[in-house]
């Protein structure tokens, strides 16, 4: 999986609790992304990062925050989890070289259940 | 708005036959397209990509065709095998210069033995 790990792989939490998901890469890629995947919606971008401390919102960012203090780590935080945030979360990395964007590589995913 | 769509939610083919999975996109500014394969319980896996300066690109048993005139992308899998059973996603970069991708809903490929 292109040197990408996600932790935890599975988590069950209660409504209202904070949750942090971690993505770790060993590829030294500049770009990192967090997606959620739900039936009927495909992959939707939550937040992304284009460098250390440089982040921006995706299409479904409400209720989520991110941080990137090191090139290799990208954290996704649910400040107060809700049942609507039950989903499978994927991290992805990519690089931009001369000639344009390159493929995104995905991690194995984290299955989050909010009860 | 931007959208990427696949024509069929499920495609069922006989083992050994060729498979064709289609995708329509709406953003004329997109210049980079990717196909991903996702097996159950796993993350999407890169299959093949193509840039807008090309009409066709071949990989191992896979071919991607790009028709910019009608904004259509297809993935052809030759001699489909049971291991090809998965959900296939197309994605485009839209007008982004930050590597962001827009994904389609996915087509489930079922291979009958």
């Amino acid at each position: 999986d292109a040197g990408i790990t996600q932790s935890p792989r599975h988590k069950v939490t209660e409504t209202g609790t904070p949750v942090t998901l971690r993505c770790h890469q060993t590829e030294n890629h500049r770009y990192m992304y967090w997606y959620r995947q739900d039936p009927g919606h495909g992959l939707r971008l939550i937040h992304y990062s284009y460098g250390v401390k440089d982040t921006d919102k995706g299409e479904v960012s409400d209720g989520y925050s991110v941080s990137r203090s090191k090139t290799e780590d990208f954290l996704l935080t649910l400040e107060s989890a809700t049942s609507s945030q039950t989903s499978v979360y994927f991290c992805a990395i990519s690089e931009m070289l001369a000639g344009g964007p390159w493929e995104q590589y995905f991690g194995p995913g984290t299955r989050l259940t909010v009860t | 708005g931007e959208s990427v769509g696949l024509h069929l939610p499920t495609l069922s083919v006989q083992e050994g036959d060729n498979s064709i999975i289609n995708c329509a996109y709406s953003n004329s500014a997109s210049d980079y397209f990717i196909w991903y394969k996702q097996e159950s319980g796993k993350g999407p896996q890169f299959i093949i990509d193509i840039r807008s300066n090309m009409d066709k690109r071949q990989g191992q048993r896979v071919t991607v065709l790009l028709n910019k005139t009608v904004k259509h992308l297809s993935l052809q899998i030759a001699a489909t095998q049971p291991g090809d059973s998965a959900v296939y996603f197309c994605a485009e970069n839209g007008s982004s210069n930050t590597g962001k991708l827009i994904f389609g809903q996915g087509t489930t490929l079922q291979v009958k033995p």
Side-chain angles (χ1 to χ4, degrees):
Chain A
D1 285 323
I4 309 171
T5 57
Q6 293 185 230
S7 59
R9 294 294 313 281
H10 301 273
K11 187 170 181 65
V12 180
T13 192
E14 293 183 348
T15 299
T17 60
V19 177
T20 295
L21 309 182
R22 179 181 183 237
C23 177
H24 179 78
Q25 61 146 329
T26 58
E27 306 296 322
N28 201 37
H29 280 9
R30 177 181 173 192
Y31 296 86
M32 300 186 75
Y33 311 83
W34 276 108
Y35 293 89
R36 60 177 290 173
Q37 186 174 39
D38 305 287
H41 290 279
L43 286 154
R44 293 182 291 175
L45 183 65
I46 304 172
H47 282 279
Y48 66 101
S49 171
Y50 45 97
V52 173
K53 292 186 171 56
D54 292 323
T55 65
D56 205 350
K57 296 179 180 180
E59 62 177 306
V60 290
S61 59
D62 287 348
Y64 302 95
S65 63
V66 290
S67 65
R68 191 167 179 203
S69 58
K70 298 184 290 184
T71 298
E72 58 265 35
D73 289 326
F74 193 32
L75 304 180
L76 177 70
T77 297
L78 291 65
E79 300 292 345
S80 178
T82 67
S83 58
S84 65
Q85 293 175 312
T86 293
S87 187
V88 180
Y89 292 85
F90 288 101
C91 173
I93 64 173
S94 74
E95 192 53 87
M96 295 275 282
L97 302 174
W102 292 81
E103 61 269 23
Q104 288 187 17
Y105 292 102
F106 283 80
T110 294
R111 182 172 296 276
L112 176 67
T113 302
V114 183
T115 61
Chain B
E2 296 177 345
S3 66
V4 180
L6 292 164
H7 292 312
L8 292 174
T10 303
L11 175 65
S12 184
V13 300
Q14 203 70 39
E15 181 180 357
D17 287 352
N18 296 333
S19 302
I20 300 176
I21 301 172
N22 295 305
C23 181
Y25 65 95
S26 62
N27 192 328
S28 299
S30 292
D31 59 4
Y32 182 61
F33 305 87
I34 305 179
W35 282 100
Y36 285 93
K37 172 186 180 182
Q38 187 176 24
E39 297 174 285
S40 181
K42 297 184 178 180
Q45 177 186 2
F46 171 84
I47 301 174
I48 192 167
D49 60 0
I50 189 168
R51 300 187 188 277
S52 59
N53 60 354
M54 302 174 69
D55 297 322
K56 179 180 179 179
R57 192 168 186 215
Q58 290 183 294
Q60 186 176 11
R61 280 202 308 119
V62 295
T63 300
V64 56
L65 298 177
L66 176 62
N67 186 330
K68 295 179 288 294
T69 301
V70 295
K71 299 192 189 70
H72 184 268
L73 192 68
S74 69
L75 177 70
Q76 301 178 1
I77 304 173
T80 311
Q81 302 169 0
D84 295 326
S85 294
V87 178
Y88 289 81
F89 293 94
C90 63
E92 61 172 320
N93 68 329
S95 52
S96 168
N97 61 355
T98 57
K100 290 192 296 182
L101 296 175
I102 304 164
F103 286 83
Q105 295 297 307
T107 291
T108 300
L109 177 64
Q110 298 175 340
V111 182
K112 297 177 289 186

mmCIF file of all heavy atoms in Angstrom, chain B residues 49-75:
data_model
loop_
_atom_site.group_PDB
_atom_site.id
_atom_site.type_symbol
_atom_site.label_atom_id
_atom_site.label_comp_id
_atom_site.label_asym_id
_atom_site.label_seq_id
_atom_site.Cartn_x
_atom_site.Cartn_y
_atom_site.Cartn_z
ATOM 1 N N ASP B 49 -3.636 5.445 -15.505
ATOM 2 C CA ASP B 49 -4.026 6.848 -15.667
ATOM 3 C C ASP B 49 -3.791 7.283 -17.102
ATOM 4 O O ASP B 49 -3.145 6.588 -17.897
ATOM 5 C CB ASP B 49 -3.284 7.752 -14.678
ATOM 6 C CG ASP B 49 -1.761 7.717 -14.838
ATOM 7 O OD1 ASP B 49 -1.254 6.989 -15.724
ATOM 8 O OD2 ASP B 49 -1.066 8.409 -14.064
ATOM 9 N N ILE B 50 -4.350 8.431 -17.435
ATOM 10 C CA ILE B 50 -4.173 8.984 -18.771
ATOM 11 C C ILE B 50 -4.281 10.496 -18.692
ATOM 12 O O ILE B 50 -5.088 11.028 -17.915
ATOM 13 C CB ILE B 50 -5.210 8.392 -19.765
ATOM 14 C CG1 ILE B 50 -4.877 8.812 -21.199
ATOM 15 C CG2 ILE B 50 -6.633 8.805 -19.394
ATOM 16 C CD1 ILE B 50 -5.673 8.046 -22.250
ATOM 17 N N ARG B 51 -3.487 11.176 -19.483
ATOM 18 C CA ARG B 51 -3.542 12.631 -19.542
ATOM 19 C C ARG B 51 -4.280 13.046 -20.798
ATOM 20 O O ARG B 51 -4.409 12.281 -21.746
ATOM 21 C CB ARG B 51 -2.130 13.218 -19.483
ATOM 22 C CG ARG B 51 -1.417 12.825 -18.216
ATOM 23 C CD ARG B 51 -0.081 13.496 -18.005
ATOM 24 N NE ARG B 51 0.581 12.905 -16.858
ATOM 25 C CZ ARG B 51 0.335 13.260 -15.599
ATOM 26 N NH1 ARG B 51 -0.538 14.197 -15.331
ATOM 27 N NH2 ARG B 51 0.952 12.655 -14.604
ATOM 28 N N SER B 52 -4.721 14.290 -20.804
ATOM 29 C CA SER B 52 -5.610 14.736 -21.873
ATOM 30 C C SER B 52 -4.917 14.857 -23.226
ATOM 31 O O SER B 52 -5.586 15.022 -24.250
ATOM 32 C CB SER B 52 -6.264 16.069 -21.506
ATOM 33 O OG SER B 52 -5.279 17.051 -21.286
ATOM 34 N N ASN B 53 -3.610 14.781 -23.245
ATOM 35 C CA ASN B 53 -2.903 14.836 -24.536
ATOM 36 C C ASN B 53 -2.808 13.456 -25.196
ATOM 37 O O ASN B 53 -2.131 13.289 -26.211
ATOM 38 C CB ASN B 53 -1.513 15.444 -24.368
ATOM 39 C CG ASN B 53 -0.640 14.650 -23.419
ATOM 40 O OD1 ASN B 53 -1.100 13.698 -22.784
ATOM 41 N ND2 ASN B 53 0.618 15.039 -23.320
ATOM 42 N N MET B 54 -3.471 12.477 -24.582
ATOM 43 C CA MET B 54 -3.489 11.120 -25.121
ATOM 44 C C MET B 54 -4.929 10.670 -25.318
ATOM 45 O O MET B 54 -5.839 11.131 -24.629
ATOM 46 C CB MET B 54 -2.779 10.157 -24.173
ATOM 47 C CG MET B 54 -1.339 10.524 -23.876
ATOM 48 S SD MET B 54 -0.624 9.460 -22.616
ATOM 49 C CE MET B 54 -0.531 7.916 -23.510
ATOM 50 N N ASP B 55 -5.143 9.739 -26.268
ATOM 51 C CA ASP B 55 -6.459 9.154 -26.472
ATOM 52 C C ASP B 55 -6.544 7.738 -25.915
ATOM 53 O O ASP B 55 -7.628 7.225 -25.637
ATOM 54 C CB ASP B 55 -6.785 9.084 -27.966
ATOM 55 C CG ASP B 55 -6.850 10.461 -28.582
ATOM 56 O OD1 ASP B 55 -7.357 11.385 -27.916
ATOM 57 O OD2 ASP B 55 -6.379 10.621 -29.720
ATOM 58 N N LYS B 56 -5.397 7.127 -25.762
ATOM 59 C CA LYS B 56 -5.375 5.717 -25.393
ATOM 60 C C LYS B 56 -4.091 5.427 -24.644
ATOM 61 O O LYS B 56 -3.031 5.976 -24.949
ATOM 62 C CB LYS B 56 -5.442 4.863 -26.661
ATOM 63 C CG LYS B 56 -5.396 3.369 -26.453
ATOM 64 C CD LYS B 56 -5.472 2.648 -27.807
ATOM 65 C CE LYS B 56 -5.410 1.149 -27.654
ATOM 66 N NZ LYS B 56 -5.508 0.470 -28.981
ATOM 67 N N ARG B 57 -4.223 4.561 -23.645
ATOM 68 C CA ARG B 57 -3.038 4.113 -22.922
ATOM 69 C C ARG B 57 -3.256 2.672 -22.507
ATOM 70 O O ARG B 57 -4.349 2.309 -22.051
ATOM 71 C CB ARG B 57 -2.799 4.991 -21.699
ATOM 72 C CG ARG B 57 -1.441 4.761 -21.080
ATOM 73 C CD ARG B 57 -1.074 5.802 -20.057
ATOM 74 N NE ARG B 57 0.305 5.601 -19.617
ATOM 75 C CZ ARG B 57 0.727 5.826 -18.394
ATOM 76 N NH1 ARG B 57 -0.104 6.268 -17.469
ATOM 77 N NH2 ARG B 57 1.983 5.622 -18.088
ATOM 78 N N GLN B 58 -2.217 1.873 -22.659
ATOM 79 C CA GLN B 58 -2.350 0.453 -22.348
ATOM 80 C C GLN B 58 -1.463 0.060 -21.194
ATOM 81 O O GLN B 58 -0.345 0.542 -21.046
ATOM 82 C CB GLN B 58 -2.013 -0.386 -23.582
ATOM 83 C CG GLN B 58 -3.052 -0.274 -24.677
ATOM 84 C CD GLN B 58 -2.744 -1.170 -25.861
ATOM 85 O OE1 GLN B 58 -1.752 -0.961 -26.555
ATOM 86 N NE2 GLN B 58 -3.582 -2.165 -26.091
ATOM 87 N N GLY B 59 -1.998 -0.859 -20.383
ATOM 88 C CA GLY B 59 -1.219 -1.462 -19.321
ATOM 89 C C GLY B 59 -1.275 -2.967 -19.489
ATOM 90 O O GLY B 59 -1.569 -3.475 -20.568
ATOM 91 N N GLN B 60 -1.028 -3.644 -18.404
ATOM 92 C CA GLN B 60 -1.102 -5.093 -18.468
ATOM 93 C C GLN B 60 -2.562 -5.530 -18.415
ATOM 94 O O GLN B 60 -3.229 -5.384 -17.410
ATOM 95 C CB GLN B 60 -0.336 -5.701 -17.297
ATOM 96 C CG GLN B 60 -0.227 -7.206 -17.357
ATOM 97 C CD GLN B 60 0.621 -7.764 -16.226
ATOM 98 O OE1 GLN B 60 0.970 -7.049 -15.285
ATOM 99 N NE2 GLN B 60 0.947 -9.032 -16.302
ATOM 100 N N ARG B 61 -3.090 -6.015 -19.489
ATOM 101 C CA ARG B 61 -4.494 -6.468 -19.658
ATOM 102 C C ARG B 61 -5.510 -5.339 -19.566
ATOM 103 O O ARG B 61 -6.712 -5.577 -19.639
ATOM 104 C CB ARG B 61 -4.876 -7.550 -18.621
ATOM 105 C CG ARG B 61 -4.424 -8.938 -18.931
ATOM 106 C CD ARG B 61 -5.246 -10.006 -18.209
ATOM 107 N NE ARG B 61 -5.333 -9.769 -16.777
ATOM 108 C CZ ARG B 61 -6.475 -9.574 -16.123
ATOM 109 N NH1 ARG B 61 -7.625 -9.543 -16.770
ATOM 110 N NH2 ARG B 61 -6.474 -9.391 -14.817
ATOM 111 N N VAL B 62 -5.100 -4.131 -19.355
ATOM 112 C CA VAL B 62 -6.043 -3.008 -19.276
ATOM 113 C C VAL B 62 -5.686 -1.935 -20.290
ATOM 114 O O VAL B 62 -4.520 -1.730 -20.613
ATOM 115 C CB VAL B 62 -6.083 -2.387 -17.861
ATOM 116 C CG1 VAL B 62 -6.623 -3.380 -16.851
ATOM 117 C CG2 VAL B 62 -4.734 -1.867 -17.451
ATOM 118 N N THR B 63 -6.745 -1.290 -20.781
ATOM 119 C CA THR B 63 -6.596 -0.182 -21.715
ATOM 120 C C THR B 63 -7.562 0.910 -21.290
ATOM 121 O O THR B 63 -8.725 0.620 -20.988
ATOM 122 C CB THR B 63 -6.930 -0.614 -23.151
ATOM 123 O OG1 THR B 63 -6.035 -1.660 -23.544
ATOM 124 C CG2 THR B 63 -6.777 0.561 -24.116
ATOM 125 N N VAL B 64 -7.104 2.133 -21.273
ATOM 126 C CA VAL B 64 -7.981 3.260 -20.995
ATOM 127 C C VAL B 64 -8.092 4.088 -22.274
ATOM 128 O O VAL B 64 -7.101 4.353 -22.951
ATOM 129 C CB VAL B 64 -7.484 4.115 -19.802
ATOM 130 C CG1 VAL B 64 -6.063 4.602 -20.007
ATOM 131 C CG2 VAL B 64 -8.421 5.286 -19.550
ATOM 132 N N LEU B 65 -9.338 4.433 -22.601
ATOM 133 C CA LEU B 65 -9.617 5.265 -23.759
ATOM 134 C C LEU B 65 -10.223 6.566 -23.288
ATOM 135 O O LEU B 65 -11.095 6.568 -22.410
ATOM 136 C CB LEU B 65 -10.582 4.545 -24.702
ATOM 137 C CG LEU B 65 -10.102 3.226 -25.306
ATOM 138 C CD1 LEU B 65 -11.202 2.619 -26.160
ATOM 139 C CD2 LEU B 65 -8.838 3.417 -26.109
ATOM 140 N N LEU B 66 -9.787 7.648 -23.884
ATOM 141 C CA LEU B 66 -10.293 8.969 -23.524
ATOM 142 C C LEU B 66 -10.845 9.655 -24.765
ATOM 143 O O LEU B 66 -10.136 9.807 -25.761
ATOM 144 C CB LEU B 66 -9.173 9.819 -22.910
ATOM 145 C CG LEU B 66 -9.505 11.264 -22.572
ATOM 146 C CD1 LEU B 66 -10.609 11.334 -21.519
ATOM 147 C CD2 LEU B 66 -8.260 12.006 -22.098
ATOM 148 N N ASN B 67 -12.092 10.049 -24.706
ATOM 149 C CA ASN B 67 -12.727 10.808 -25.791
ATOM 150 C C ASN B 67 -13.108 12.170 -25.239
ATOM 151 O O ASN B 67 -14.136 12.320 -24.569
ATOM 152 C CB ASN B 67 -13.959 10.063 -26.303
ATOM 153 C CG ASN B 67 -14.573 10.743 -27.523
ATOM 154 O OD1 ASN B 67 -14.491 11.954 -27.677
ATOM 155 N ND2 ASN B 67 -15.179 9.958 -28.388
ATOM 156 N N LYS B 68 -12.270 13.156 -25.510
ATOM 157 C CA LYS B 68 -12.486 14.487 -24.945
ATOM 158 C C LYS B 68 -13.656 15.194 -25.604
ATOM 159 O O LYS B 68 -14.261 16.076 -25.009
ATOM 160 C CB LYS B 68 -11.206 15.312 -25.096
ATOM 161 C CG LYS B 68 -10.045 14.741 -24.284
ATOM 162 C CD LYS B 68 -8.784 15.565 -24.459
ATOM 163 C CE LYS B 68 -8.157 15.383 -25.817
ATOM 164 N NZ LYS B 68 -7.650 14.007 -26.023
ATOM 165 N N THR B 69 -13.975 14.813 -26.818
ATOM 166 C CA THR B 69 -15.072 15.469 -27.532
ATOM 167 C C THR B 69 -16.395 15.262 -26.803
ATOM 168 O O THR B 69 -17.198 16.181 -26.681
ATOM 169 C CB THR B 69 -15.181 14.927 -28.963
ATOM 170 O OG1 THR B 69 -13.946 15.155 -29.638
ATOM 171 C CG2 THR B 69 -16.302 15.614 -29.720
ATOM 172 N N VAL B 70 -16.609 14.034 -26.338
ATOM 173 C CA VAL B 70 -17.863 13.724 -25.633
ATOM 174 C C VAL B 70 -17.642 13.532 -24.146
ATOM 175 O O VAL B 70 -18.547 13.068 -23.442
ATOM 176 C CB VAL B 70 -18.533 12.475 -26.252
ATOM 177 C CG1 VAL B 70 -18.953 12.770 -27.680
ATOM 178 C CG2 VAL B 70 -17.613 11.273 -26.201
ATOM 179 N N LYS B 71 -16.454 13.868 -23.668
ATOM 180 C CA LYS B 71 -16.129 13.756 -22.244
ATOM 181 C C LYS B 71 -16.422 12.348 -21.710
ATOM 182 O O LYS B 71 -17.192 12.149 -20.765
ATOM 183 C CB LYS B 71 -16.888 14.796 -21.420
ATOM 184 C CG LYS B 71 -16.585 16.242 -21.779
ATOM 185 C CD LYS B 71 -17.158 17.183 -20.733
ATOM 186 C CE LYS B 71 -17.075 18.618 -21.165
ATOM 187 N NZ LYS B 71 -18.019 18.921 -22.274
ATOM 188 N N HIS B 72 -15.792 11.383 -22.328
ATOM 189 C CA HIS B 72 -16.046 9.993 -21.985
ATOM 190 C C HIS B 72 -14.724 9.260 -21.782
ATOM 191 O O HIS B 72 -13.760 9.456 -22.525
ATOM 192 C CB HIS B 72 -16.851 9.336 -23.113
ATOM 193 C CG HIS B 72 -17.240 7.932 -22.831
ATOM 194 N ND1 HIS B 72 -16.477 6.861 -23.214
ATOM 195 C CD2 HIS B 72 -18.320 7.414 -22.191
ATOM 196 C CE1 HIS B 72 -17.055 5.735 -22.828
ATOM 197 N NE2 HIS B 72 -18.182 6.053 -22.216
ATOM 198 N N LEU B 73 -14.734 8.421 -20.773
ATOM 199 C CA LEU B 73 -13.558 7.630 -20.397
ATOM 200 C C LEU B 73 -14.005 6.179 -20.271
ATOM 201 O O LEU B 73 -15.105 5.910 -19.770
ATOM 202 C CB LEU B 73 -13.075 8.139 -19.046
ATOM 203 C CG LEU B 73 -11.736 7.738 -18.478
ATOM 204 C CD1 LEU B 73 -10.600 8.316 -19.290
ATOM 205 C CD2 LEU B 73 -11.637 8.220 -17.029
ATOM 206 N N SER B 74 -13.192 5.259 -20.741
ATOM 207 C CA SER B 74 -13.540 3.857 -20.559
ATOM 208 C C SER B 74 -12.322 3.053 -20.137
ATOM 209 O O SER B 74 -11.180 3.408 -20.443
ATOM 210 C CB SER B 74 -14.135 3.266 -21.837
ATOM 211 O OG SER B 74 -13.155 3.167 -22.846
ATOM 212 N N LEU B 75 -12.612 1.974 -19.418
ATOM 213 C CA LEU B 75 -11.582 1.031 -18.992
ATOM 214 C C LEU B 75 -11.917 -0.315 -19.605
ATOM 215 O O LEU B 75 -13.021 -0.830 -19.403
ATOM 216 C CB LEU B 75 -11.551 0.918 -17.472
ATOM 217 C CG LEU B 75 -10.570 -0.102 -16.904
ATOM 218 C CD1 LEU B 75 -9.132 0.375 -17.105
ATOM 219 C CD2 LEU B 75 -10.840 -0.358 -15.418
#
